[in-house]
Amino acid sequence: MKEAELDLIYRSTRNREETATASQAILRGLAVEGGLYVPSYIPKLACSLAELSAMSYQQVAYEVMKLFLCDFTEEELKYCINHAYDQKFDTENIAELVRKDDAYFLELFHGSTVAFKDMALSILPYLMTTSAKKNQIQEEIVILTATSGDTGKAALAGFADVEGTKIIVFYPKHGVSPIQEKQMVTQRGDNTFVIGIEGNFDDAQTGVKKMFSDGELARTLAKNGYRFSSANSINIGRLVPQVVYYVYAYAQLLARKEIQENDLINVVVPTGNFGNILAAYYASLMGLPVAKLICASNENKVLFDFFKSGCYDRNREFILTSSPSMDILISSNLERLIYRIAGDDDEKNLQLMQELSKTGTYRIDEEMRSNLDIFYGNYADEKETAEAIKSVYEHVGYVMDTHTAVGKSVYEKYREETGDETPTVIASTASPFKFTRSVMNAIDPAYDAQSDFSLIDTLSEISHVAIPAAIEDIRTAPVLHDRVCKTEQMCDVVMEILGIQH
Ligand SMILES: *Cc1c(COP(=O)(O)O)cnc(C)c1O
């Protein structure tokens, strides 16, 4: 409580004494020893919900982000917001809230790569270059990213040709959809590099994390005029912009008189790395009236098991599903929740994270568990996910992507279990055009005979939704990246790209 009177700063989840300003935390990505930066306290919304309901997306973004990014001036932050949330989005509202069936779908896929990661990755390059200026950074920023599909393309699109940056993206060669892969390997921009690895997403993420925490590597880089930074969802420059759309969604419900001021809502989030739902949790801690945060997993249901038992256990088979962006066994951002429910206890968190890296598992105590009441976890298997797509399409003509469908299916389970009729917002994390084959197969397996591109036309016809420009583009774009490497070679590849001898 005392701290709330002081300026908000950032602390490492593994060492409270390691602090940073917002701009420093954005530049560093990870804290030393693998800790994650967390705000020293969660600020309360400074304007009323009624005031927010009269604001544009950009205005809400400013009202929310200024509370977290305290060392940015008003001019700097507005510059970042206005350059990020512009005509790159195919709707003026930036995020669309549509009522379909029994829920409100918060469509977060109107940006340049038709997935929700655009919401944060369109602003991160501006936050980062602004942060570099504020901190008199001379070195060129090298963005190093591991992706399960969507982050990679959204980061590439955000950073392409941004002066003073290079971006290197690693993705699991056999773990992303054909359209996801095509989107990445056709990326233009002389500062962009895309590499497939022979391994899964966790291998890619572990390899990237290893490079980030290698002190000697950092010195070698610095000597050559480079420094690493992260565009992964562990960067607070990703997390903070994601808080915005939950506040905006509530404000929109209020503006349309779907709810009264201070009415509670539920939020459903199809979850992988736990970044998106953590942002919703932060929004609730800021004072947004949220009753339940419904964490939806696919068959990689580590989080469902965690919420049920208090035991996190990554020792299990990794399953490739039709919602690949959620095929994750180590949800990195969960560490920020663990730190929080431990009462901002860095030592307790460190101990649990060490157990996780040593044994692949940890258990939280009863006191920590008692702080998880706002969360409800469940999962949808492949069959249930497909059924949700088909059923919503048949009932209301709306086509969900596979990730959103996991959310919808879990929401149905929640309602059946609880009978809760609270108005509910489902975070819709990707356009169905990004996962066309799985989506069309769910509606009718006969579609499987069509080619990928003909399926896109058919989807447009049956859903009465125009093909997004981002999808149209890759039909004709040439492949510009074809490098593949083994997990152990990731560091060598980075050195080669940067032209560093070692
Ligand atoms: C990244 C992603 C998710 C998972 O979000 P997290 O923040 O990692 O939990 C869900 N759906 C889609 C389409 C994504 O790209």
Side-chain angles (χ1 to χ4, degrees), residues 378-397:
N378 213 325
Y379 73 102
D381 65 23
E382 290 290 275
K383 190 160 158 278
E384 292 165 330
T385 304
E387 279 166 4
I389 293 172
K390 187 177 167 73
S391 138
V392 170
Y393 173 66
E394 285 177 353
H395 281 119
V396 295

Side-chain angles (χ1 to χ4, degrees), residues 115-117 150 270-276 325-326 401 403 429-430 435:
F116 100 93
K117 295 193 174 62
D150 293 333
T271 297
N273 224 355
F274 210 76
N276 202 5
S325 303
M326 297 159 65
D401 97 290
H403 303 75
T429 51
F435 300 93

Side-chain angles (χ1 to χ4, degrees), residues 115-117 148-151 180 233 238 242 269-277 303 325-326 328 333 401 403-404 428-431 434-435:
F116 100 93
K117 295 193 174 62
S148 54
D150 293 333
T151 307
Q180 283 179 315
S233 63
R238 290 268 310 269
Q242 292 181 172
V269 187
T271 297
N273 224 355
F274 210 76
N276 202 5
I277 194 167
L303 289 165
S325 303
M326 297 159 65
I328 286 172
N333 269 298
D401 97 290
H403 303 75
T404 308
S428 305
T429 51
S431 157
K434 193 149 186 177
F435 300 93

Side-chain angles (χ1 to χ4, degrees), residues 42-50 52-53 60 64 67-68 106 242-254 259-267 277-293 374 425:
I42 306 292
K44 294 287 175 204
L45 286 169
C47 6
S48 72
L49 296 163
L52 288 162
S53 73
V60 173
V64 170
L67 303 172
F68 285 100
L106 178 60
Q242 292 181 172
V243 178
V244 173
Y245 46 75
Y246 292 107
V247 177
Y248 181 71
Y250 190 99
Q252 285 297 298
L253 287 172
L254 200 53
I259 57 172
Q260 304 287 319
E261 192 168 5
N262 298 322
D263 279 358
L264 290 165
I265 63 165
N266 294 328
V267 176
I277 194 167
L278 186 77
Y281 178 57
Y282 280 6
S284 76
L285 296 174
M286 293 180 84
L288 197 73
V290 175
K292 279 286 172 199
L293 289 170
I374 194 172
V425 170

Side-chain angles (χ1 to χ4, degrees), residues 30 34 48 53 56 126 137-138 145 150 196 214 253 265 267 293 339 345 383 398 410 446 476 484 498:
L30 266 182
S48 72
S53 73
S56 68
Y126 296 101
I137 300 296
Q138 309 296 335
T145 292
D150 293 333
D214 184 335
L253 287 172
I265 63 165
V267 176
L293 289 170
Y339 174 84
D345 186 335
K383 190 160 158 278
Y398 184 66
V410 165
T476 49
V484 177
L498 300 179

Side-chain angles (χ1 to χ4, degrees), residues 5 28 44 143 179 215 284 354 399 402 429 445 473 485 497:
E5 291 145 30
R28 291 179 203 162
K44 294 287 175 204
I143 301 295
I179 291 177
S284 76
Q354 282 171 342
V399 180
T402 45
T429 51
D473 284 350
C485 80
I497 287 169

